[in-house]
Amino acid sequence: MAYSTTTVALQVVGLLLVLAAAAASTTGSAAHANTSCVTGSAGATVSIGYGGARASAGAGVSLGSGVYRATCPRAEEIVRAGVERAVAADPRMAASLLRLHFHDCFVNGCDGSVLLDDKPPLVGEKTAVPNANSIRGFEVIDAIKAELERECPETVSCADLLAIAARDSVVVSGGPSWEVEAGRMDSRTASLQGANTNLPAPTSGVATLVQKFRNVGLSAKDMVALSGAHTIGKARCTSFSARLSGAVGAASKDLTFLQSLQQLCSVSAESALAHLDLATPATFDNQYYINLLSGDGLLPSDQALASSPPAGAVPGTDDDDDVASLVAAYAFDASVFFQDFAESMLRMGRLAPGSGGDGEVRVNCRVVNSFS
């Protein structure tokens, strides 16, 4: 769906109005960014000062680069090829694979638990409210895992597969690349309660979003950067129905945008899907943040990021005022967004399961090895 002339004009005006506020934030973010390595082209490598050192993910888990270089040299090549095939067949799959990694890491760390099927006595996470009829891409993971098992049996964990596939989904969509830290083990358990409790809802306000991220050890800055994943993908009408009436989040400044959504959802609110980013729906870029400045964020939780800070927000702190400033900074400079997104993806990827080293490398990502 094309944007109207009014929308484009409003985006330009919005950007000009927040220029002064964003300048300081952009300067601060850019200070640590190697922008020469971030060109905005597909697969542009982000320099994050990693240098191959091993990173602790807590609970006895140690992550590093080149983990499979000796044991499964073609591991990343196999994952990349599988992701490219899947996205070529279904462009929406890039967002779906990226989302699987998010939903995995937010529930007891990045341990592949989101992939487990219900198999008594184990209850998986797929039927949790945020996941049911929502997360997808399991067949793609199955196919890639099967190829990995043929190449190097019982070597590459499902949790690492999700982390690599998430990176490759960003790259194939035109976003930045980064060196994925690997060395995770797969859990033998899952947490339906954790999935229902830990994952943010599409109707969440900024305070709730910040708290959800802090609960797992991530910051408000990580929340804003990782929310940029919504620059690709789709959402059901039921997840943004409050936006249609203006009940939650800022009302859209573009009447055409709002009316088109109302028309779409009037046909079938349960099954109809809308692009999270209507301007460049299949491209991983910073358009998501530009949309927010125009009031055209799809989900209430997205549009809330660009709302005015509530009373009591303290300037210069990790509070709602900084959230809005980050949105403006990312809208102005895609390289700053790419840099921060890659860094936040790495931090999220280090979230470790409480079981620590009590894991395994599953042969089949859907079941623990004792059931295989």
Side-chain angles (χ1 to χ4, degrees):
M1 175 169 50
Y3 264 23
S4 66
T5 303
T6 302
T7 299
V8 175
L10 284 169
Q11 289 179 346
V12 173
V13 172
L15 289 174
L16 292 174
L17 288 174
V18 296
L19 176 59
S25 176
T26 303
T27 301
S29 298
H32 68 271
N34 185 344
T35 54
S36 64
C37 293
V38 187
T39 66
S41 60
T45 302
V46 175
S47 175
I48 54 172
Y50 174 56
R54 296 190 69 81
S56 172
V61 177
S62 181
L63 305 179
S65 64
V67 169
Y68 298 116
R69 194 166 294 144
T71 58
C72 193
R74 295 186 58 243
E76 293 203 25
E77 176 188 339
I78 289 170
V79 176
R80 180 174 63 253
V83 169
E84 289 174 348
R85 286 194 301 269
V87 175
D90 175 11
R92 183 187 168 203
M93 190 55 66
S96 299
L97 295 175
L98 179 55
R99 191 163 180 246
L100 277 179
H101 184 45
F102 277 75
H103 282 228
D104 183 37
C105 293
F106 263 71
V107 182
N108 294 339
C110 310
D111 60 359
S113 60
V114 72
L115 301 174
L116 289 170
D117 287 340
D118 289 353
K119 192 173 182 67
L122 186 146
V123 178
E125 298 164 9
K126 294 179 180 178
T127 57
V129 173
N131 292 337
N133 300 315
S134 177
I135 54 174
R136 59 196 291 270
F138 300 110
E139 294 79 7
V140 174
I141 297 299
D142 291 342
I144 296 173
K145 178 61 172 173
E147 190 170 352
L148 288 170
E149 287 299 307
R150 288 192 293 270
E151 178 78 14
C152 36
E154 300 179 51
T155 302
V156 180
S157 70
C158 299
D160 279 348
L161 166 52
L162 285 178
I164 298 168
R167 186 272 312 276
D168 292 343
S169 294
V170 171
V171 172
V172 77
S173 302
S177 181
W178 59 93
E179 189 168 12
V180 175
E181 298 169 347
R184 301 167 187 81
M185 301 296 286
D186 296 324
S187 69
R188 295 186 174 94
T189 61
S191 177
L192 181 66
Q193 179 181 359
N196 279 320
T197 303
N198 296 2
L199 293 167
T203 55
S204 299
V206 172
T208 299
L209 291 170
V210 170
Q211 190 57 55
K212 292 279 189 181
F213 275 71
R214 284 177 176 164
N215 288 345
V216 298
L218 298 174
S219 68
K221 182 177 181 181
D222 291 322
M223 182 271 290
V224 180
L226 293 175
S227 293
H230 286 173
T231 188
I232 56 175
K234 297 181 179 182
R236 295 182 186 277
C237 291
T238 51
S239 65
F240 59 86
S241 57
R243 288 282 287 134
L244 301 180
S245 62
V248 179
S252 173
K253 300 172 185 176
D254 183 0
L255 187 58
T256 302
F257 168 77
L258 182 59
Q259 290 176 337
S260 65
L261 292 178
Q262 290 171 335
Q263 181 178 6
L264 171 71
C265 296
S266 66
V267 178
S268 177
E270 291 296 326
S271 60
L273 295 167
H275 291 294
L276 288 163
D277 172 6
L278 297 175
T280 55
T283 302
F284 194 98
D285 55 20
N286 67 333
Q287 182 65 41
Y288 163 83
Y289 299 101
I290 297 172
N291 295 342
L292 298 187
L293 294 180
S294 295
D296 290 341
L298 186 67
L299 302 179
S301 56
D302 288 335
Q303 191 55 52
L305 303 185
S307 301
S308 300
V314 181
T317 64
D318 199 20
D319 219 323
D320 289 359
D321 55 333
D322 284 336
V323 166
S325 295
L326 281 167
V327 169
Y330 296 157
F332 273 103
D333 193 337
S335 69
V336 175
F337 164 50
F338 280 8
Q339 180 78 22
D340 287 355
F341 181 83
E343 291 178 354
S344 292
M345 284 293 287
L346 284 169
R347 277 191 289 273
M348 183 180 73
R350 294 171 188 150
L351 299 178
S355 58
D358 185 25
E360 62 183 9
V361 175
R362 289 186 218 131
V363 175
N364 179 343
C365 291
R366 292 176 180 264
V367 295
V368 299
N369 287 341
S370 58
F371 290 142
S372 297

